[in-house]
Amino acid sequence: MIDQSADIMISSNAVFTGLSDSPTAACIAIKGNRIIAVGSQEELRCYAGEQTKFYSFQDQLILPGFHDFHLHIMHGAVALGSANLFAARSEEEAAEMIREYAEAKPDIPWVIGFMWDSSYWENQQLPTRHSLDRILPDRPVIAYHAEGHHAWVNSKALEIAGITRMTQDPEYGVIGRDKSGEPDGILFEKAMGPVTSQAFDFSPVEKQEIFSSFLAHARELGVTAVHDLHALKTIDAYDVYKGFEDSQELTTRIHLWPALDGNLAHAKRLREEYRSDMLRVSGLKQFIDGVITARTAYLLEPYADAPETRGDTSFPAETIKKWVEDADKEGFSIRFHAIGDGAIRLALDAYEAAQRSNGKRDSRHSIEHVEVIHPADIQRFKELGVTASMQPDHLALSERGVYTDRIGVEREKLVFPIRSLQKAGAKLAFGTDFPIDVLNPLLQIYRAVTRIDSSGKSVWHPDERISLADALKAYTAGAAYGAFREHELGTLEAGKLADLVVLDRNLFAVPSSEIPETKVQLTMVDGKVVFEDRILA
């Protein structure tokens, strides 16, 4: 006789399965790494055995595990142990925070910071190397802007990277210079590469420690699956991920998105090598443009406050279209960083051209960020089957006034158009872009349902708010769909992999202001409890 008893049974008065728009009282039976039944405790009594472990919650919300559709694992993990400069309100204050961090870490070769944003400073001027040279003349410093597309470095970092007044700007990159032509300490886009490659030159043991810190952080936040997207200069760590999987220490499912760069032989080898339930190549990713605040996002019309530029593309349009056509033909899903309306249109045009060339298929290509869009392109997401991969909390990271100054009032009417895309039938998938934002999914949920801007008081286009249920679905089922895994992830139902999270309160029963305060009580991945907050339990 087959033993049908569950290994784990978990119940609550508030279970959000993702199959409806509200939670209900339910029990979930789990055997091995799968959910075998969902129903009332009475209906599932037959699954209770002598060895079954029971978890009984009252009104705490149980829901599918959070599935972060866009982040950068190793960069984010480095940021966890680096100087966080977001609270700085001047160049001097940011430099002082870097000095204090450096004093506390005297043995690290590179001083690394993240998240400064001069748009919040009184003078709104970019910093220079001189303020860093005064505090750290002999140790290299690199501090990334909050949006990650330009960095602030000192003279020692420039020296180590070999950047001088004679160094030419790379293609799609700018070395900031003072009036005399000397590098001023700001590096834009691909100009960061020579410094980043030195600062992030970690040993295998260091990479393992960095990755381990990420896994611990993720499980505490209920993040059960992530998408690790190619960055401009990434830390090569796929072998580290595989080592953790082989030793059964991988507590978050990882979907890999290496570079879309024309090298399909390499991409196909990676796809063949990484294809398990816990670690797999899901497609290819590339940048089309930069960001609005640095004026490196690619716009259809010039910037409102700099009419001499409309940004640029990271690669020629014909190169991008050729890469897409070839990769699409080989069955790859493709994802493009596209923030400006020009970049978004180019991405959609490339996907459309690939359909004409290769035939229409269920490709599930996506566009990342979708911050400033032309109204004519909204309906194209559904027409082309393109996922809108968005990070709602980003609308509060940038200072709203500066953002609006860049694009002007007319284009500002459709910024972060989450509801407009949803109404037009686009598939939504949410993530954080960690370390551009913190890894906590609940901040993204909060911003999607409130759209409270950087002031903390005003709502930025209230018509673009979405419901709590839809926000949760975008962070669970939407991401699963974008990974072709809706048959096994994203909802709580029989047959699916047992990835779930328990929160300390029912989000549907509390004011939205409590969402950011909510804590994770339990995280389960692949049928195993990987985090349990004993204090809350």
mmCIF file of all heavy atoms in Angstrom, residues 288-321:
data_model
loop_
_atom_site.group_PDB
_atom_site.id
_atom_site.type_symbol
_atom_site.label_atom_id
_atom_site.label_comp_id
_atom_site.label_asym_id
_atom_site.label_seq_id
_atom_site.Cartn_x
_atom_site.Cartn_y
_atom_site.Cartn_z
ATOM 1 N N ILE A 288 20.016 48.065 -23.706
ATOM 2 C CA ILE A 288 19.857 48.956 -24.852
ATOM 3 C C ILE A 288 20.251 50.376 -24.472
ATOM 4 O O ILE A 288 20.836 51.098 -25.266
ATOM 5 C CB ILE A 288 18.418 48.915 -25.402
ATOM 6 C CG1 ILE A 288 18.180 47.599 -26.158
ATOM 7 C CG2 ILE A 288 18.164 50.096 -26.345
ATOM 8 C CD1 ILE A 288 16.829 47.493 -26.812
ATOM 9 N N ASP A 289 19.941 50.793 -23.247
ATOM 10 C CA ASP A 289 20.261 52.164 -22.855
ATOM 11 C C ASP A 289 20.652 52.232 -21.397
ATOM 12 O O ASP A 289 20.917 51.201 -20.755
ATOM 13 C CB ASP A 289 19.099 53.108 -23.190
ATOM 14 C CG ASP A 289 17.842 52.876 -22.342
ATOM 15 O OD1 ASP A 289 17.748 51.832 -21.666
ATOM 16 O OD2 ASP A 289 16.953 53.753 -22.365
ATOM 17 N N GLY A 290 20.677 53.464 -20.861
ATOM 18 C CA GLY A 290 21.077 53.682 -19.482
ATOM 19 C C GLY A 290 19.914 54.122 -18.619
ATOM 20 O O GLY A 290 18.900 53.434 -18.549
ATOM 21 N N VAL A 291 20.041 55.286 -17.979
ATOM 22 C CA VAL A 291 19.017 55.757 -17.042
ATOM 23 C C VAL A 291 18.690 57.226 -17.310
ATOM 24 O O VAL A 291 19.489 57.967 -17.887
ATOM 25 C CB VAL A 291 19.474 55.577 -15.574
ATOM 26 C CG1 VAL A 291 19.586 54.099 -15.232
ATOM 27 C CG2 VAL A 291 20.794 56.299 -15.312
ATOM 28 N N ILE A 292 17.512 57.627 -16.847
ATOM 29 C CA ILE A 292 17.031 58.978 -17.094
ATOM 30 C C ILE A 292 17.885 60.031 -16.394
ATOM 31 O O ILE A 292 18.287 61.042 -16.990
ATOM 32 C CB ILE A 292 15.554 59.120 -16.642
ATOM 33 C CG1 ILE A 292 14.645 58.242 -17.517
ATOM 34 C CG2 ILE A 292 15.118 60.582 -16.665
ATOM 35 C CD1 ILE A 292 14.550 58.663 -18.967
ATOM 36 N N THR A 293 18.163 59.831 -15.103
ATOM 37 C CA THR A 293 18.827 60.891 -14.337
ATOM 38 C C THR A 293 20.219 61.211 -14.867
ATOM 39 O O THR A 293 20.662 62.361 -14.785
ATOM 40 C CB THR A 293 18.906 60.516 -12.842
ATOM 41 O OG1 THR A 293 19.508 59.229 -12.712
ATOM 42 C CG2 THR A 293 17.517 60.500 -12.227
ATOM 43 N N ALA A 294 20.917 60.227 -15.426
ATOM 44 C CA ALA A 294 22.241 60.469 -16.006
ATOM 45 C C ALA A 294 22.151 60.878 -17.473
ATOM 46 O O ALA A 294 23.170 61.117 -18.122
ATOM 47 C CB ALA A 294 23.111 59.223 -15.875
ATOM 48 N N ARG A 295 20.929 60.945 -17.995
ATOM 49 C CA ARG A 295 20.646 61.256 -19.404
ATOM 50 C C ARG A 295 21.308 60.254 -20.348
ATOM 51 O O ARG A 295 21.698 60.598 -21.475
ATOM 52 C CB ARG A 295 21.093 62.687 -19.757
ATOM 53 C CG ARG A 295 20.446 63.780 -18.914
ATOM 54 C CD ARG A 295 20.773 65.163 -19.462
ATOM 55 N NE ARG A 295 20.369 66.226 -18.536
ATOM 56 C CZ ARG A 295 21.136 66.727 -17.581
ATOM 57 N NH1 ARG A 295 22.373 66.260 -17.423
ATOM 58 N NH2 ARG A 295 20.701 67.694 -16.789
ATOM 59 N N THR A 296 21.421 59.004 -19.906
ATOM 60 C CA THR A 296 21.935 57.945 -20.772
ATOM 61 C C THR A 296 20.820 57.024 -21.263
ATOM 62 O O THR A 296 21.067 56.150 -22.083
ATOM 63 C CB THR A 296 23.015 57.109 -20.056
ATOM 64 O OG1 THR A 296 22.496 56.609 -18.818
ATOM 65 C CG2 THR A 296 24.248 57.946 -19.772
ATOM 66 N N ALA A 297 19.599 57.218 -20.755
ATOM 67 C CA ALA A 297 18.453 56.509 -21.317
ATOM 68 C C ALA A 297 18.184 57.059 -22.708
ATOM 69 O O ALA A 297 18.341 58.256 -22.966
ATOM 70 C CB ALA A 297 17.220 56.675 -20.429
ATOM 71 N N TYR A 298 17.764 56.196 -23.621
ATOM 72 C CA TYR A 298 17.584 56.572 -25.032
ATOM 73 C C TYR A 298 16.141 57.009 -25.268
ATOM 74 O O TYR A 298 15.207 56.217 -25.091
ATOM 75 C CB TYR A 298 17.935 55.377 -25.917
ATOM 76 C CG TYR A 298 17.805 55.621 -27.399
ATOM 77 C CD1 TYR A 298 18.438 56.699 -28.011
ATOM 78 C CD2 TYR A 298 17.061 54.752 -28.197
ATOM 79 C CE1 TYR A 298 18.339 56.912 -29.379
ATOM 80 C CE2 TYR A 298 16.950 54.952 -29.562
ATOM 81 C CZ TYR A 298 17.589 56.038 -30.151
ATOM 82 O OH TYR A 298 17.479 56.238 -31.501
ATOM 83 N N LEU A 299 15.965 58.269 -25.657
ATOM 84 C CA LEU A 299 14.642 58.846 -25.850
ATOM 85 C C LEU A 299 14.348 59.072 -27.330
ATOM 86 O O LEU A 299 15.257 59.237 -28.145
ATOM 87 C CB LEU A 299 14.533 60.181 -25.105
ATOM 88 C CG LEU A 299 14.742 60.151 -23.589
ATOM 89 C CD1 LEU A 299 14.635 61.564 -23.016
ATOM 90 C CD2 LEU A 299 13.741 59.225 -22.907
ATOM 91 N N LEU A 300 13.067 59.100 -27.649
ATOM 92 C CA LEU A 300 12.656 59.395 -29.015
ATOM 93 C C LEU A 300 12.889 60.857 -29.366
ATOM 94 O O LEU A 300 13.193 61.200 -30.512
ATOM 95 C CB LEU A 300 11.174 59.055 -29.211
ATOM 96 C CG LEU A 300 10.811 57.570 -29.116
ATOM 97 C CD1 LEU A 300 9.304 57.388 -29.084
ATOM 98 C CD2 LEU A 300 11.412 56.785 -30.282
ATOM 99 N N GLU A 301 12.754 61.733 -28.376
ATOM 100 C CA GLU A 301 12.985 63.168 -28.548
ATOM 101 C C GLU A 301 13.994 63.626 -27.498
ATOM 102 O O GLU A 301 14.197 62.948 -26.495
ATOM 103 C CB GLU A 301 11.669 63.942 -28.389
ATOM 104 C CG GLU A 301 10.578 63.542 -29.374
ATOM 105 C CD GLU A 301 10.931 63.879 -30.818
ATOM 106 O OE1 GLU A 301 11.765 64.793 -31.022
ATOM 107 O OE2 GLU A 301 10.374 63.229 -31.727
ATOM 108 N N PRO A 302 14.629 64.776 -27.704
ATOM 109 C CA PRO A 302 15.685 65.231 -26.777
ATOM 110 C C PRO A 302 15.194 65.400 -25.341
ATOM 111 O O PRO A 302 14.005 65.577 -25.075
ATOM 112 C CB PRO A 302 16.107 66.576 -27.367
ATOM 113 C CG PRO A 302 15.775 66.474 -28.816
ATOM 114 C CD PRO A 302 14.505 65.665 -28.872
ATOM 115 N N TYR A 303 16.165 65.363 -24.426
ATOM 116 C CA TYR A 303 15.869 65.622 -23.020
ATOM 117 C C TYR A 303 15.361 67.050 -22.863
ATOM 118 O O TYR A 303 15.852 67.979 -23.518
ATOM 119 C CB TYR A 303 17.122 65.411 -22.164
ATOM 120 C CG TYR A 303 17.371 63.959 -21.845
ATOM 121 C CD1 TYR A 303 18.040 63.133 -22.744
ATOM 122 C CD2 TYR A 303 16.910 63.401 -20.655
ATOM 123 C CE1 TYR A 303 18.256 61.791 -22.471
ATOM 124 C CE2 TYR A 303 17.130 62.060 -20.363
ATOM 125 C CZ TYR A 303 17.792 61.261 -21.277
ATOM 126 O OH TYR A 303 17.986 59.924 -21.002
ATOM 127 N N ALA A 304 14.385 67.234 -21.972
ATOM 128 C CA ALA A 304 13.801 68.554 -21.771
ATOM 129 C C ALA A 304 14.812 69.544 -21.222
ATOM 130 O O ALA A 304 14.784 70.733 -21.559
ATOM 131 C CB ALA A 304 12.594 68.444 -20.827
ATOM 132 N N ASP A 305 15.729 69.069 -20.369
ATOM 133 C CA ASP A 305 16.701 69.976 -19.758
ATOM 134 C C ASP A 305 18.078 69.896 -20.406
ATOM 135 O O ASP A 305 19.044 70.479 -19.910
ATOM 136 C CB ASP A 305 16.809 69.707 -18.254
ATOM 137 C CG ASP A 305 17.316 68.306 -17.938
ATOM 138 O OD1 ASP A 305 17.405 67.472 -18.874
ATOM 139 O OD2 ASP A 305 17.628 68.035 -16.768
ATOM 140 N N ALA A 306 18.193 69.160 -21.521
ATOM 141 C CA ALA A 306 19.448 69.083 -22.274
ATOM 142 C C ALA A 306 19.108 68.774 -23.732
ATOM 143 O O ALA A 306 19.289 67.647 -24.204
ATOM 144 C CB ALA A 306 20.367 68.009 -21.693
ATOM 145 N N PRO A 307 18.582 69.754 -24.447
ATOM 146 C CA PRO A 307 18.074 69.502 -25.805
ATOM 147 C C PRO A 307 19.132 69.077 -26.806
ATOM 148 O O PRO A 307 18.792 68.660 -27.922
ATOM 149 C CB PRO A 307 17.458 70.855 -26.197
ATOM 150 C CG PRO A 307 18.054 71.863 -25.276
ATOM 151 C CD PRO A 307 18.336 71.136 -24.000
ATOM 152 N N GLU A 308 20.392 69.118 -26.410
ATOM 153 C CA GLU A 308 21.445 68.676 -27.327
ATOM 154 C C GLU A 308 21.586 67.158 -27.362
ATOM 155 O O GLU A 308 22.331 66.608 -28.183
ATOM 156 C CB GLU A 308 22.783 69.304 -26.940
ATOM 157 C CG GLU A 308 23.411 68.778 -25.656
ATOM 158 C CD GLU A 308 22.843 69.405 -24.379
ATOM 159 O OE1 GLU A 308 21.884 70.203 -24.478
ATOM 160 O OE2 GLU A 308 23.363 69.084 -23.294
ATOM 161 N N THR A 309 20.882 66.439 -26.466
ATOM 162 C CA THR A 309 21.016 64.980 -26.434
ATOM 163 C C THR A 309 19.679 64.295 -26.211
ATOM 164 O O THR A 309 18.774 64.875 -25.599
ATOM 165 C CB THR A 309 21.992 64.537 -25.329
ATOM 166 O OG1 THR A 309 22.169 63.103 -25.399
ATOM 167 C CG2 THR A 309 21.463 64.883 -23.943
ATOM 168 N N ARG A 310 19.560 63.098 -26.728
ATOM 169 C CA ARG A 310 18.434 62.235 -26.384
ATOM 170 C C ARG A 310 18.936 60.867 -25.923
ATOM 171 O O ARG A 310 18.220 59.870 -25.954
ATOM 172 C CB ARG A 310 17.446 62.101 -27.540
ATOM 173 C CG ARG A 310 17.988 61.577 -28.849
ATOM 174 C CD ARG A 310 16.941 61.740 -29.955
ATOM 175 N NE ARG A 310 17.381 61.197 -31.236
ATOM 176 C CZ ARG A 310 16.954 60.039 -31.753
ATOM 177 N NH1 ARG A 310 16.088 59.313 -31.083
ATOM 178 N NH2 ARG A 310 17.388 59.621 -32.925
ATOM 179 N N GLY A 311 20.199 60.862 -25.463
ATOM 180 C CA GLY A 311 20.794 59.598 -25.049
ATOM 181 C C GLY A 311 21.215 58.799 -26.257
ATOM 182 O O GLY A 311 21.180 59.270 -27.391
ATOM 183 N N ASP A 312 21.607 57.561 -26.012
ATOM 184 C CA ASP A 312 22.085 56.725 -27.116
ATOM 185 C C ASP A 312 21.859 55.269 -26.768
ATOM 186 O O ASP A 312 21.527 54.923 -25.627
ATOM 187 C CB ASP A 312 23.570 56.983 -27.361
ATOM 188 C CG ASP A 312 24.004 56.604 -28.776
ATOM 189 O OD1 ASP A 312 23.171 56.052 -29.527
ATOM 190 O OD2 ASP A 312 25.168 56.864 -29.116
ATOM 191 N N THR A 313 22.042 54.426 -27.759
ATOM 192 C CA THR A 313 21.922 52.984 -27.536
ATOM 193 C C THR A 313 23.301 52.399 -27.247
ATOM 194 O O THR A 313 24.324 52.902 -27.733
ATOM 195 C CB THR A 313 21.309 52.282 -28.756
ATOM 196 O OG1 THR A 313 22.116 52.521 -29.910
ATOM 197 C CG2 THR A 313 19.899 52.807 -29.013
ATOM 198 N N SER A 314 23.317 51.338 -26.474
ATOM 199 C CA SER A 314 24.586 50.721 -26.097
ATOM 200 C C SER A 314 25.242 49.996 -27.263
ATOM 201 O O SER A 314 26.463 49.797 -27.271
ATOM 202 C CB SER A 314 24.366 49.747 -24.938
ATOM 203 O OG SER A 314 23.383 48.794 -25.288
ATOM 204 N N PHE A 315 24.435 49.595 -28.229
ATOM 205 C CA PHE A 315 24.926 48.955 -29.445
ATOM 206 C C PHE A 315 24.108 49.503 -30.620
ATOM 207 O O PHE A 315 22.978 49.958 -30.428
ATOM 208 C CB PHE A 315 24.765 47.430 -29.382
ATOM 209 C CG PHE A 315 25.496 46.786 -28.234
ATOM 210 C CD1 PHE A 315 24.835 46.523 -27.038
ATOM 211 C CD2 PHE A 315 26.831 46.448 -28.341
ATOM 212 C CE1 PHE A 315 25.491 45.939 -25.969
ATOM 213 C CE2 PHE A 315 27.498 45.861 -27.270
ATOM 214 C CZ PHE A 315 26.833 45.603 -26.087
ATOM 215 N N PRO A 316 24.628 49.459 -31.840
ATOM 216 C CA PRO A 316 23.837 49.918 -32.985
ATOM 217 C C PRO A 316 22.535 49.138 -33.117
ATOM 218 O O PRO A 316 22.486 47.935 -32.825
ATOM 219 C CB PRO A 316 24.767 49.661 -34.175
ATOM 220 C CG PRO A 316 26.144 49.637 -33.595
ATOM 221 C CD PRO A 316 25.986 49.053 -32.224
ATOM 222 N N ALA A 317 21.495 49.816 -33.575
ATOM 223 C CA ALA A 317 20.176 49.190 -33.680
ATOM 224 C C ALA A 317 20.221 47.930 -34.548
ATOM 225 O O ALA A 317 19.584 46.921 -34.215
ATOM 226 C CB ALA A 317 19.169 50.193 -34.251
ATOM 227 N N GLU A 318 20.950 47.960 -35.634
ATOM 228 C CA GLU A 318 20.997 46.792 -36.519
ATOM 229 C C GLU A 318 21.701 45.609 -35.855
ATOM 230 O O GLU A 318 21.348 44.447 -36.104
ATOM 231 C CB GLU A 318 21.675 47.158 -37.842
ATOM 232 C CG GLU A 318 20.861 48.123 -38.690
ATOM 233 C CD GLU A 318 19.408 47.670 -38.847
ATOM 234 O OE1 GLU A 318 19.182 46.501 -39.214
ATOM 235 O OE2 GLU A 318 18.498 48.473 -38.579
ATOM 236 N N THR A 319 22.700 45.903 -35.019
ATOM 237 C CA THR A 319 23.368 44.833 -34.263
ATOM 238 C C THR A 319 22.398 44.188 -33.288
ATOM 239 O O THR A 319 22.315 42.951 -33.188
ATOM 240 C CB THR A 319 24.574 45.398 -33.494
ATOM 241 O OG1 THR A 319 25.511 45.935 -34.422
ATOM 242 C CG2 THR A 319 25.246 44.314 -32.656
ATOM 243 N N ILE A 320 21.646 45.026 -32.582
ATOM 244 C CA ILE A 320 20.658 44.524 -31.622
ATOM 245 C C ILE A 320 19.635 43.637 -32.327
ATOM 246 O O ILE A 320 19.308 42.532 -31.861
ATOM 247 C CB ILE A 320 19.976 45.709 -30.908
ATOM 248 C CG1 ILE A 320 20.952 46.369 -29.927
ATOM 249 C CG2 ILE A 320 18.703 45.268 -30.185
ATOM 250 C CD1 ILE A 320 20.494 47.692 -29.368
ATOM 251 N N LYS A 321 19.127 44.084 -33.444
ATOM 252 C CA LYS A 321 18.108 43.319 -34.172
ATOM 253 C C LYS A 321 18.676 42.002 -34.688
ATOM 254 O O LYS A 321 17.983 40.970 -34.661
ATOM 255 C CB LYS A 321 17.550 44.162 -35.314
ATOM 256 C CG LYS A 321 16.686 45.326 -34.844
ATOM 257 C CD LYS A 321 16.173 46.159 -36.015
ATOM 258 C CE LYS A 321 15.301 47.301 -35.519
ATOM 259 N NZ LYS A 321 14.798 48.141 -36.625
#
